[in-house]
Amino acid sequence: DAGITQSPRHKVTETGTPVTLRCHQTENHRYMYWYRQDPGHGLRLIHYSYGVKDTDKGEVSDGYSVSRSKTEDFLLTLESATSSQTSVYFCAISEDRGYGYTFGSGTRLTVV
Amino acid sequence: RKEVEQDPGPFNVPEGATVAFNCTYSNSASQSFFWYRQDCRKEPKLLMSVYSSGNEDGRFTAQLNRASQYISLLIRDSKLSDSATYLCVVYRTGNQFYFGTGTSLTVIP
């Protein structure tokens, strides 16, 4: 669905470099989320946002920070990428608490 | 104990078969329940919400058993296009969604 887009779709980066992933929505949804998906772990919540400048940590937030300066954009930053952060990252949006998510197409990040 | 547990499968079934997946959740305070479908190398997509009374959408039927803390998904008359991984998702207050690791289904011609 065009209502949520992630960029970049693929990225290879070196250990120790900063990386920023972008999530952009056109649905005007209040809630936005960043997940990572790894084999055997399923989807795990990194950070989420419940409004502009309102964010909170998820289950696996260490090594990640987020920012939301506009309703439509939610950025995920890896301050200093490590090989353990090699993963597929999904952004999701929802209209309200407890509502089903719409996911972006994902970003495949490889840290070498 | 994991919040949500699913049999990873794989389930390999012939076209036209009926297949059922179960999912258990550990916290009785869980409030909302969903099934998502994820195709290989794609994002998860909402398949259906699961209501206490059970609900049906075409060939798909979802059931919730709060007493036993499990959710089920039944697929009738399986199609090749049903091949995917099915994720069980549970929500409880605190903006916490918990995802199972998924059950893999392959429908064979």
Side-chain angles (χ1 to χ4, degrees):
Chain A
D1 290 9
I4 175 171
T5 55
Q6 291 184 232
S7 59
R9 294 294 309 276
H10 301 270
K11 186 170 182 66
V12 179
T13 192
E14 292 187 350
T15 299
T17 59
V19 177
T20 295
L21 309 183
R22 181 179 184 241
C23 178
H24 178 79
Q25 61 145 330
T26 58
E27 304 296 325
N28 201 35
H29 284 345
R30 180 180 172 191
Y31 290 86
M32 298 185 76
Y33 310 82
W34 277 107
Y35 281 85
R36 60 179 288 174
Q37 187 173 34
D38 305 286
H41 289 279
L43 282 148
R44 292 181 291 174
L45 182 64
I46 304 171
H47 282 278
Y48 68 96
S49 169
Y50 46 97
V52 173
K53 298 194 189 310
D54 292 323
T55 65
D56 206 348
K57 296 179 179 181
E59 178 186 1
V60 290
S61 59
D62 287 349
Y64 302 94
S65 62
V66 290
S67 66
R68 191 168 178 200
S69 59
K70 297 185 290 185
T71 298
E72 57 267 33
D73 289 325
F74 192 32
L75 304 180
L76 176 71
T77 297
L78 289 65
E79 303 290 348
S80 177
T82 67
S83 58
S84 65
Q85 293 176 312
T86 292
S87 186
V88 180
Y89 291 85
F90 287 104
C91 177
I93 59 175
S94 70
E95 196 171 341
D96 205 344
R97 288 177 183 269
Y99 281 45
Y101 288 165
T102 299
F103 283 89
S105 299
T107 295
R108 293 188 175 276
L109 177 68
T110 302
V111 183
V112 298
Chain B
R1 185 181 173 189
K2 287 186 177 180
E3 291 278 346
V4 179
E5 298 206 55
Q6 295 182 250
D7 180 348
F11 285 70
N12 299 315
V13 302
E15 270 187 291
T18 295
V19 61
F21 308 137
N22 287 331
C23 161
T24 58
Y25 60 96
S26 60
N27 195 312
S28 60
S30 300
Q31 297 172 279
S32 305
F33 308 89
F34 308 88
W35 283 102
Y36 278 74
R37 171 201 169 118
Q38 186 172 25
D39 294 298
C40 188
R41 301 180 72 83
K42 298 286 190 180
E43 74 273 22
K45 292 188 176 180
L46 180 63
L47 180 64
M48 56 198 306
S49 301
V50 187
Y51 304 116
S52 297
S53 56
N55 48 302
E56 189 173 308
D57 182 2
R59 298 182 292 107
F60 297 83
T61 300
Q63 297 276 356
L64 168 63
N65 185 318
R66 285 190 182 271
S68 301
Q69 295 182 201
Y70 79 81
I71 308 146
S72 65
L73 178 68
L74 182 77
I75 305 175
R76 291 182 299 279
D77 188 23
S78 299
K79 311 291 185 191
L80 296 177
S81 58
D82 294 334
S83 297
T85 296
Y86 291 83
L87 307 176
C88 173
V89 184
V90 170
Y91 171 82
R92 66 168 187 265
T93 303
N95 211 28
Q96 292 293 314
F97 280 84
Y98 297 93
F99 287 77
T101 52
T103 298
S104 173
L105 171 67
T106 300
V107 181
I108 303 164

